[in-house]
Amino acid sequence: MPVIIHSTSNSSIKHPSSTTTTTPTTPPPIENSYPCSYSRGPIVPTRHLFKTIITITVGPHRVPFPVHRERFCAASPFFAAALNPAYAFRESDAAGIHLPAARPCDFEYLVQWIYTRALDHEELDDCGHPAYFRLIRLWMLADELQVVEGCKNAIVDAMARVADRTNSVPTPDDTRTVFGEGGVREGEGLRRLVVDLFAWKKTDQLVEAHEDSWDEHFMRLLVCKLKRMDVREKGRAPWRVDSERCRLYHEHSGQSTCGVMEAKK
């Protein structure tokens, strides 16, 4: 992610919604309520988190986001380095940074999570139009900016909830974002979740008849998944089981694990 000494101006960005709906079914209840901890990261006393306000500008129009430097440094090694006055590309303590490749709308969601540890933005939880692309882009931004692992875990859990609540799956465009060039790295939980959503939900007619093309690598992974699945496993969607969701889709740095995993040891 390029970093540039900041300059501010106002702008706004609008973005479309997307959804792909599968054959209506009633999904089984999900165990508990996604109890994994989303607050992992450096433990810093609250009084030290809200001292210095700096401005992060985002996108080609340099949309300004005034934030607390200490809060962002505690949430991300990227910001801890970029906002360190000792680094050569920093002109002064008062200067902010510019993220030219990021989208302001995505960064707004990220700012909300860093301050609240929640994904409560109305555009991320639209019951009528599940927009997976917003959650996917937010996951990729959190990954690029090295935001503490809880953010990405919360995003995959949100995607699983949206998929079951609306009985839908990501669109062909979403699969190209995740699995295409410059997408999510191999081995990441987000990739496994997208494949599993298609493998367990009734998506055969959707995949066959959709007018847009699906990502080639995604289709290869989906075929392999279906070929290897035991028919008896078909009714046990892993994202609906706390321990499996944690094991397959979450990140845990060092020795940390989600609370549900620790409780079941």
Side-chain angles (χ1 to χ4, degrees):
M1 173 69 71
V3 179
I4 303 173
I5 299 303
H6 92 98
S7 171
T8 61
S9 63
N10 284 315
S11 178
S12 61
I13 286 185
K14 296 183 179 180
H15 44 276
S17 61
S18 67
T19 180
T20 302
T21 305
T22 66
T23 304
T25 59
T26 302
I30 300 176
E31 288 185 11
N32 299 327
S33 181
Y34 296 81
C36 298
S37 172
Y38 300 143
S39 59
R40 300 192 188 277
I43 299 176
V44 180
T46 303
R47 66 183 181 277
H48 297 317
L49 292 177
F50 305 100
K51 290 184 175 182
T52 309
I53 294 181
I54 55 96
T55 299
I56 299 175
T57 56
V58 180
H61 298 289
R62 297 178 176 268
V63 178
F65 288 85
V67 299
H68 292 90
R69 182 173 67 185
E70 296 81 7
R71 189 72 191 88
F72 273 62
C73 289
S76 160
F78 170 88
F79 286 116
L83 297 172
N84 187 338
Y87 276 65
F89 58 79
R90 297 283 299 144
E91 289 185 347
S92 70
D93 289 346
I97 62 174
H98 178 48
L99 305 176
R103 294 179 175 88
C105 52
D106 298 338
F107 193 73
E108 178 182 341
Y109 308 145
L110 189 66
V111 170
Q112 179 176 355
W113 191 90
I114 288 175
Y115 276 106
T116 68
R117 291 299 196 268
L119 298 174
D120 295 333
H121 198 289
E122 63 274 10
E123 292 181 347
L124 293 176
D125 194 28
D126 188 338
C127 296
H129 302 282
Y132 291 100
F133 75 93
R134 294 191 180 103
L135 290 167
I136 291 169
R137 289 196 324 220
L138 178 57
W139 190 101
M140 295 174 69
L141 181 62
D143 181 65
E144 188 168 10
L145 297 180
Q146 303 172 16
V147 177
V148 292
E149 65 190 31
C151 183
K152 292 194 289 184
N153 293 347
I155 293 167
V156 296
D157 284 357
M159 287 185 62
R161 284 195 300 270
V162 168
D164 275 345
R165 188 186 65 233
T166 62
N167 193 40
S168 64
V169 292
T171 66
D173 282 345
D174 295 332
T175 65
R176 289 192 290 273
T177 299
V178 174
F179 297 92
E181 184 177 356
V184 177
R185 295 185 303 273
E186 291 190 17
E188 293 286 356
L190 178 60
R191 289 167 63 103
R192 288 193 292 271
L193 174 63
V194 173
V195 172
D196 284 350
L197 288 175
F198 279 83
W200 263 269
K201 289 180 175 288
K202 294 181 179 180
T203 56
D204 51 329
Q205 294 182 2
L206 171 69
V207 171
E208 179 182 19
H210 203 290
E211 59 184 8
D212 295 328
S213 60
W214 304 88
D215 180 79
E216 180 180 346
H217 187 58
F218 159 73
M219 292 299 294
R220 187 182 308 122
L221 292 174
L222 179 58
V223 169
C224 291
K225 178 74 176 183
L226 293 171
K227 292 287 288 184
R228 294 167 182 164
M229 284 177 62
D230 189 322
V231 175
R232 293 170 297 178
E233 296 178 351
K234 188 65 176 177
R236 301 200 303 271
W239 66 86
R240 295 179 183 140
V241 181
D242 291 331
S243 57
E244 286 299 284
R245 186 176 62 254
C246 174
R247 181 178 67 86
L248 292 172
Y249 313 131
H250 286 184
E251 289 186 354
H252 306 106
S253 60
Q255 299 299 314
S256 63
T257 59
C258 294
V260 63
M261 293 294 288
E262 295 170 351
K264 294 186 177 183
K265 286 183 179 179

